[in-house]
Amino acid sequence: ERLPILQAIQAYTEGSAYQAFDDDEGRIAVGQAADLVVLDRDITAVAGNEVSDAHVDQTWLAGECVHEA
């Protein structure tokens, strides 16, 4: 089975925060810790079989860039 891409992103972000009892986390907003990745393409705008071709340009943990390609 497959999920629509936006539903999959929500499951990995807000859904994971909810599962960990961090209901206020899991989304980009002012005051959040900013654990996120910046990809080289918009994975919501490519075919499903192309999502895995995306590369990570940056990784941010607790609001600080810890990896940059």
Side-chain angles (χ1 to χ4, degrees):
E1 294 183 34
R2 292 188 265 184
L3 294 174
I5 189 68
L6 292 177
Q7 189 176 354
I9 292 169
Q10 184 179 21
Y12 276 99
T13 55
E14 291 180 54
S16 296
Y18 177 81
Q19 185 72 20
F21 301 103
D22 286 329
D23 295 17
D24 294 331
E25 306 293 326
R27 59 183 77 121
I28 297 173
V30 174
Q32 297 291 359
D35 292 350
L36 59 95
V37 296
V38 178
L39 302 175
D40 67 346
R41 67 193 75 196
D42 179 359
I43 61 171
T44 66
V46 299
N49 63 338
E50 295 177 24
V51 171
S52 63
D53 295 334
H55 295 281
V56 176
D57 282 343
Q58 296 178 339
T59 303
W60 291 73
L61 294 173
E64 293 194 30
C65 185
V66 295
H67 165 76
E68 192 161 7

